[in-house]
Amino acid sequence: MQVDLEDVQGVLHLYCLSLAGTDVQVVDASDSLQTPNSPTVCLPTVTARYDSRHDNFDWLKVMATHQVAHLEFGGMSIVKLLSRVPQPHLAYDLFSVLEEGRLDAHITLAYPGLRRALQRAQVEALSNRGSIATASPLTAILELLVRMGLGAFTDLPAPAGCETAVHQLAAIVRALHSPRSTTQDTAEAAVLACDVLSFLPGEGDAEYETPGPVEYRGTCQARFLYLAPQGEQLSETLIGPSEQPEPPALTMPVNVELAPEDTGQRGQPFGAPTLLPQFLQQLADPSAAAASAPGSGAPQHDDGTDEALQPREPGTFVYDEWDYQAHAYKPRWCLVKEHTLDEGEPDSFNEALRRHGALLDVVKRQFEAILPENFGKTTRLTDGEDLDLNAALEALADLRMRIPPDDKIYWRRHKVRRDVAVLVLLDMSASTAEPLRTDAPALPEPAIRGPRGAAGRSKRRIIDLEKESIALLMQALEAIGDTYGIYGFSGYGRDGVDFYVIKDLAERFDSRIKRRLDRVTPRHATRMGAAIRHAVSKLAPQAAATKILLLLSDGRPQDRGYSRQGSEKAYAVHDTHRALIESRAQGITPFCLTVDKTGHDYLQAMCGDIGYEVLDDIATLPARLPMLYRALTT
Amino acid sequence: MTENTPEAQYREYAMEAFVVRNEPYYRPVADEVELFTGAYNQRIPVLLKGPTGCGKTRFVEYMAWKLGQQLHVGRDQNQSPSGDMQLPLVTIACHEDLTASDLVGRYLLDTTGTRWIDGPMTRAVKTGAILYLDEVVEARKDTTILIHPLTDHRRLLPVEKRGAVIEADDRFLLCVSYNPRYQSTLKDLKPSTRQRFIAIEFDYPPPHIEADIIQRESGCSAAQAETLARLGVKIRHLREHGLQEGASTRLLIYVARLMTEGLTARRACQVALVWSLTDDAELQQSIAEVVGAVVE
């Protein structure tokens, strides 16, 4: 019985995340449209190798485990090491073959429960290897290394005159199967293997064929390149023309910015799976790479001034911005313009409630169920429904002790008013126009696959799902009676942060609010710090005992000129963090909810010990948003 | 024939007389023992923070025993037959219905009239116990405010109903605990309460230490304990991805103990981990797959 990836993708995603300790996307290997921007595991759409569903699922598990092993047991830059050898291309191929075998050995040791499935996959892979009878000696030896990596050390058909070399290489492979081996060891082993092979007669400049792939090890990313850290140059001879598109300017530094936690930690390659597509793209089109790589060269959209701004129009406000490198605020740096959204049609609001009708019922019931909990029994009152027995006894005891008794000996039920005010701040940046992938209709392959952005994508966008979620949340908030405001933000540049009023804190919910929600659309950039500060200025004066700022976003903060230096991403994250800290100092509890699956990369720095949540599956946003609010306030 | 029924075997102690008589097993992870000892010597209240099942309560028990070994106070009722001094440990599980009277005491009526009965806090203060308030944020703030005069230089407990103020016994120490992850915005320690304690943060131990703990607590083999510790690390990666808390050390010990009873590792993991941690079907299956990979 076959296993369809879409049925098990969620389970495998969590499985890979558990093993790797970092978020890993699980994607369909046949989806040529995907552009992963986080570690990715590619699996086949349908697996039907065996009769039993269990065996087919085990095959997928083996594939996923092997690909995750590159994150778990792999990961350091080997470019420097390999660039020192005379034949870096051969060295890299040797490295790839040896590393795959090393990872399998680690999997066998670390995951004994998977041993049987892995061994079966290895046996099948061995039986599918082609003949090397007519191959050149170098090609044959590389193929033998693949077989050794699959566990075959006996009856290997070594080419004539190469037996000693094969024995030496076998010893190298066995050494790499030690539980303490690392990628560094594999790189050194590859260099050593080059040395061994250089002594083969006539092999100095021999042509050879790269060994064919092993199916269960995955081929989606072709090979993992363990890229150098930012700023290092890559040698032309390492990349080689035979595998990659002709690089027009290989002396250009590969300027890829890394998150701090990606530098130098064991088990985390320098963004290898992440950066391979970017790397290939940079080689193909360096001008596009320069525009997209933040911090590469001079900032492209700098407004070029250091002037403080002045609010000259009604509804405009200026705020400072935190410069983490200077450890100081830039005074009056951002100008926020507040707009009340125009009114559209109530259709999108009503459509949201219709679309999520069943969920709405559940949400309403859950929120209404909170209310009876708020009918507290208050004891020790001067008047009430009945005697509070404890208080009455104590009063009697006090009388006996000749102590004036307390007259508060009654209790009653009463509605405890929730004293909560919440401000929901919705990111309306351009990225929210991205279509949703989760509800893409199933399409037959491959004829209908059209240009990028066509087949396989829904017409609904992230912003649409966010609007639906807000509609549900509003219904929940109306049910429970908390004070709330719904706002959006976007803008372009420090002098153009737009702050949109969907429902003000003081406004009542009515048809105007529904029509304003219809006008929520993707706009421009995301200067979060300024938007948060303006939101705080609205929420802080509220008299509620509990004030919550709920930030709903789909990505990291970024904007034109959100720094004058090259480290824009870090600057934006730090300024946002500062704004959140400021909100807490004003008695507000901030919380960030993002649908950006790579959110963990920057949210830890952006939020610190402030609560945040990354939604792995954006489709759960309508259900999650109200429940998150409930969890925060009960 | 009359069958003899076995007598129920239990021991009942007065709250302030409960002492930890035998050394509890506790494997230090960092310098928490030294920290707590230093705080006790200076009578500085201690706040323990950490996830569920990571050893906070066991640590308090251990420190009550260890510090008791170091004391030299001549109180007969607290002396063990060996002559060592012991430090009573009074534990209160906090909840939102906990009132000041529950902690301090109240007058009761009986056939002879009224009598005052000390609450557990008063008893701990008088006998010089370690008073351990577990999950302190669950209690209402008007209740936790009681601890303020005990936790500053005064070390006093006012008993308004009796018109009395009790100076704490020199050996008294207040210790509280809570799990920062559970907290909603409505339940938190006030800054004026929080700043009366030093804080020791706990987390699940590193795998090699956790394996030792699992082996020692359950009697399983070292290899089994190492496997379970590795499994714990993997499952904890699911925190923030559906699991509110990862697999606690306590649960891993339960797995090991079931294994020593003859259950297979996978079955023990299923009942003690997969089904305990979550009711979500997809999450359960994912955890089961991780178990299936790690455990043979």
Side-chain angles (χ1 to χ4, degrees), chain B:
Chain B
M1 192 164 93
T2 307
E3 289 187 357
N4 290 327
T5 52
E7 290 179 7
Q9 296 192 12
Y10 65 91
R11 280 171 284 196
E12 183 175 327
Y13 305 92
M15 189 170 268
E16 70 279 14
F18 177 79
V19 293
V20 183
R21 298 183 188 279
N22 303 311
E23 180 182 0
Y25 171 68
Y26 180 79
R27 174 82 148 83
V29 173
D31 60 347
E32 66 270 27
V33 173
E34 290 76 21
L35 280 173
F36 195 100
T37 303
Y40 183 79
N41 291 340
Q42 293 293 322
R43 303 301 188 264
I44 299 173
V46 180
L47 164 63
L48 306 181
K49 297 161 63 177
T52 185
C54 71
K56 298 189 296 296
T57 304
R58 176 62 66 88
F59 173 69
V60 173
E61 282 185 353
Y62 174 75
M63 292 311 301
W65 173 85
K66 184 173 168 50
L67 293 168
Q69 303 292 300
Q70 297 169 6
L71 293 175
H72 303 283
V73 177
R75 289 201 186 189
D76 294 339
Q77 66 270 29
N78 282 339
Q79 270 193 318
S80 72
S82 69
D84 293 334
M85 284 309 304
Q86 289 169 322
L87 191 58
L89 174 63
V90 176
T91 301
I92 300 173
C94 296
H95 53 91
E96 64 180 21
D97 290 328
L98 199 66
T99 66
S101 296
D102 293 332
L103 291 175
V104 175
R106 48 167 57 89
Y107 281 108
L108 297 182
L109 282 175
D110 62 18
T111 53
T112 59
T114 58
R115 63 186 175 92
W116 172 262
I117 182 165
D118 283 337
M121 180 178 276
T122 307
R123 295 187 195 187
V125 166
K126 284 181 175 177
T127 56
I130 291 180
L131 175 62
Y132 177 46
L133 300 180
D134 198 10
E135 296 293 349
V136 67
V137 292
E138 292 295 326
R140 298 198 313 250
K141 292 185 174 57
D142 60 347
T143 305
T144 52
I145 206 86
L146 282 173
I147 67 181
H148 282 202
L150 277 175
T151 49
D152 56 28
H153 65 282
R154 296 171 287 173
R155 288 169 60 84
L156 298 174
L157 178 64
V159 184
E160 276 126 9
K161 290 235 169 173
R162 303 195 74 192
V165 169
I166 303 173
E167 267 187 6
D169 183 278
D170 187 54
R171 296 181 305 161
F172 171 79
L173 182 77
L174 179 63
C175 178
V176 303
S177 78
Y178 79 103
N179 185 343
R181 283 180 177 274
Y182 284 167
Q183 307 322 318
S184 80
T185 59
L186 300 181
K187 284 184 186 166
D188 198 5
L189 282 179
K190 291 175 15 167
S192 59
T193 305
R194 182 188 288 274
Q195 290 202 21
R196 291 166 188 273
F197 297 85
I198 62 148
I200 303 178
E201 291 211 347
F202 282 74
D203 202 348
Y204 300 117
H208 66 284
I209 294 180
E210 193 168 38
D212 276 349
I213 294 168
I214 294 170
Q215 183 182 5
R216 173 65 187 262
E217 288 286 310
S218 66
C220 70
S221 69
Q224 289 171 328
E226 278 170 19
T227 300
L228 290 176
R230 265 190 292 120
L231 181 60
V233 170
K234 297 300 178 190
I235 295 177
R236 284 166 201 149
H237 290 154
L238 292 176
R239 270 193 285 195
E240 316 288 354
H241 292 273
L243 279 189
Q244 195 172 19
E245 289 281 8
S248 63
T249 308
R250 183 193 295 127
L251 279 186
L252 296 176
I253 291 170
Y254 285 171
V255 173
R257 287 169 65 182
L258 288 174
M259 286 166 64
T260 62
E261 287 295 320
L263 261 70
T264 63
R266 287 190 180 184
R267 182 63 174 159
C269 287
Q270 182 176 48
V271 301
L273 290 175
V274 175
W275 290 347
S276 293
L277 285 171
T278 179
D279 297 322
D280 180 270
E282 187 175 86
L283 210 43
Q284 280 190 346
Q285 192 183 350
S286 305
I287 297 172
E289 294 303 336
V290 176
V291 168
V294 174
V295 171
E296 212 164 356

Side-chain angles (χ1 to χ4, degrees), chain A residues 168-384:
Chain A
Q168 289 172 334
L169 291 171
I172 290 173
V173 172
R174 284 190 194 279
L176 281 179
H177 288 192
S178 151
R180 279 183 291 276
S181 64
T182 65
T183 310
Q184 169 82 25
D185 297 325
T186 310
E188 290 172 11
V191 174
L192 201 58
C194 276
D195 218 28
V196 167
L197 292 173
S198 68
F199 287 100
L200 293 179
E203 292 304 328
D205 298 309
E207 295 281 324
Y208 68 93
E209 284 178 29
T210 302
V214 175
E215 189 183 356
Y216 75 84
R217 289 174 176 170
T219 56
C220 178
Q221 299 275 340
R223 291 178 180 179
F224 289 108
L225 275 175
Y226 290 79
L227 293 175
Q230 181 174 359
E232 285 205 18
Q233 298 194 7
L234 292 167
S235 154
E236 180 177 17
T237 52
L238 174 66
I239 304 305
S242 64
E243 284 207 15
Q244 310 300 343
E246 187 68 30
L250 284 169
T251 53
M252 181 188 80
V254 178
N255 227 337
V256 182
E257 190 165 351
L258 300 167
E261 58 267 25
D262 286 346
T263 51
Q265 290 184 21
R266 186 188 171 84
Q268 295 214 6
F270 283 90
T274 306
L275 298 173
L276 174 58
Q278 288 183 21
F279 174 72
L280 295 178
Q281 185 183 8
Q282 284 165 14
L283 290 178
D285 184 2
S287 61
S292 65
S296 56
Q300 303 211 3
H301 301 288
D302 195 343
D303 61 13
T305 69
D306 279 333
E307 291 176 5
L309 297 170
Q310 297 295 333
R312 294 201 170 88
E313 299 168 12
T316 57
F317 309 83
V318 285
Y319 294 96
D320 300 342
E321 190 165 270
W322 177 251
D323 184 337
Y324 80 108
Q325 289 175 318
H327 292 283
Y329 285 95
K330 291 180 178 173
R332 307 176 69 81
W333 195 250
C334 299
L335 188 81
V336 176
K337 298 176 196 168
E338 188 172 305
H339 317 263
T340 301
L341 275 181
D342 294 333
E343 294 177 24
E345 299 300 320
D347 298 347
S348 56
F349 186 94
N350 295 333
E351 170 61 20
L353 299 190
R354 185 201 64 76
R355 193 183 190 100
H356 299 284
L359 176 60
L360 178 61
D361 287 341
V362 170
V363 165
K364 271 188 160 176
R365 263 205 311 278
Q366 296 236 1
F367 274 68
E368 284 162 3
I370 296 174
L371 294 177
E373 293 170 10
N374 291 349
F375 278 92
K377 181 180 174 181
T378 305
T379 56
R380 298 176 189 270
L381 299 171
T382 55
D383 191 17

Side-chain angles (χ1 to χ4, degrees), chain A residues 133-187:
Chain A
T134 57
S136 71
L138 195 47
T139 302
I141 288 176
L142 278 167
E143 174 59 31
L144 290 182
L145 285 173
V146 172
R147 297 183 189 191
M148 290 183 214
L150 290 170
F153 284 92
T154 56
D155 300 326
L156 294 173
C162 300
E163 292 83 355
T164 304
V166 170
H167 275 294
Q168 289 172 334
L169 291 171
I172 290 173
V173 172
R174 284 190 194 279
L176 281 179
H177 288 192
S178 151
R180 279 183 291 276
S181 64
T182 65
T183 310
Q184 169 82 25
D185 297 325
T186 310

